[in-house]
Protein backbone atom coordinates (compact mmCIF):
# COMPACT_ATOMS: atom_id res chain seq x y z
CA UNK A 1 0.00 0.00 0.00
CA UNK A 2 2.82 2.38 0.89
CA UNK A 3 4.64 1.65 -2.39
CA UNK A 4 1.46 2.45 -4.32
CA UNK A 5 1.16 5.87 -2.63
CA UNK A 6 4.80 6.66 -3.36
CA UNK A 7 4.31 5.64 -6.99
CA UNK A 8 1.23 7.88 -7.24
CA UNK A 9 3.07 10.85 -5.75
CA UNK A 10 6.05 10.33 -8.06
CA UNK A 11 3.74 9.94 -11.07
CA UNK A 12 1.82 13.11 -10.17
CA UNK A 13 5.10 15.01 -9.74
CA UNK A 14 6.32 13.81 -13.15
CA UNK A 15 3.07 14.88 -14.81
CA UNK A 16 3.25 18.27 -13.14
CA UNK A 17 6.86 18.70 -14.27
CA UNK A 18 5.98 17.68 -17.81
CA UNK A 19 3.23 20.30 -18.11
CA UNK A 20 4.83 23.04 -16.00
CA UNK A 21 6.57 24.67 -18.99
CA UNK A 22 4.45 26.13 -21.73
CA UNK A 23 5.54 24.26 -24.89
CA UNK A 24 5.80 26.31 -28.05
CA UNK A 25 6.93 26.00 -31.64
CA UNK A 26 8.50 28.97 -33.43
CA UNK A 27 8.65 28.99 -37.24
CA UNK A 28 10.55 31.80 -38.97
CA UNK A 29 10.93 32.51 -42.69
CA UNK A 30 13.37 35.37 -43.21
CA UNK A 31 13.82 36.25 -46.89
CA UNK A 32 14.60 39.94 -46.77
CA UNK A 33 17.67 41.96 -47.60
CA UNK A 34 19.78 42.61 -44.50
CA UNK A 35 20.14 46.28 -45.53
CA UNK A 36 16.36 46.77 -45.72
CA UNK A 37 15.45 48.97 -42.75
CA UNK A 38 11.71 48.29 -42.99
CA UNK A 39 11.02 44.78 -44.30
CA UNK A 40 7.44 43.72 -44.83
CA UNK A 41 6.39 41.49 -42.00
CA UNK A 42 3.55 39.15 -41.02
CA UNK A 43 3.44 37.62 -37.57
CA UNK A 44 0.86 35.27 -36.07
CA UNK A 45 0.53 33.24 -32.89
CA UNK A 46 -1.93 30.49 -32.04
CA UNK A 47 -2.33 29.33 -28.43
CA UNK A 48 -4.18 26.05 -27.98
CA UNK A 49 -3.62 25.70 -24.24
CA UNK A 50 -1.08 22.89 -24.20
CA UNK A 51 0.76 24.00 -27.35
CA UNK A 52 1.61 27.35 -28.90
CA UNK A 53 2.62 27.99 -32.51
CA UNK A 54 4.23 31.27 -33.50
CA UNK A 55 4.93 32.13 -37.17
CA UNK A 56 7.04 35.04 -38.43
CA UNK A 57 7.42 35.80 -42.16
CA UNK A 58 9.45 38.77 -43.46
CA UNK A 59 10.36 39.80 -47.00
CA UNK A 60 11.72 42.67 -49.04
CA UNK A 61 9.54 44.16 -51.75
CA UNK A 62 10.96 45.05 -55.14
CA UNK A 63 11.97 48.67 -55.29
CA UNK A 64 10.99 50.71 -58.32
CA UNK A 65 13.55 53.43 -58.90
Amino acid sequence: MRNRRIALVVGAALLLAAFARHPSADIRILAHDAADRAPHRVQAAIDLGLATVSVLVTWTAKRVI
Side-chain angles (χ1 to χ4, degrees):
M1 187 64 133
R2 181 183 167 137
N3 289 340
R4 185 179 294 177
R5 284 185 191 162
I6 292 173
L8 276 172
V9 170
V10 169
L14 288 174
L15 280 174
L16 183 62
F19 291 109
R21 289 184 281 154
H22 195 63
S24 64
D26 190 10
I27 301 168
R28 295 175 184 257
I29 300 172
L30 301 173
H32 67 276
D33 183 15
D36 189 3
R37 295 181 187 256
H40 297 284
R41 180 177 178 158
V42 175
Q43 189 169 7
I46 301 171
D47 188 0
L48 301 174
L50 292 177
T52 300
V53 177
S54 177
V55 179
L56 171 65
V57 179
T58 61
W59 68 94
T60 296
K62 290 184 181 180
R63 293 187 178 145
V64 179
I65 297 176

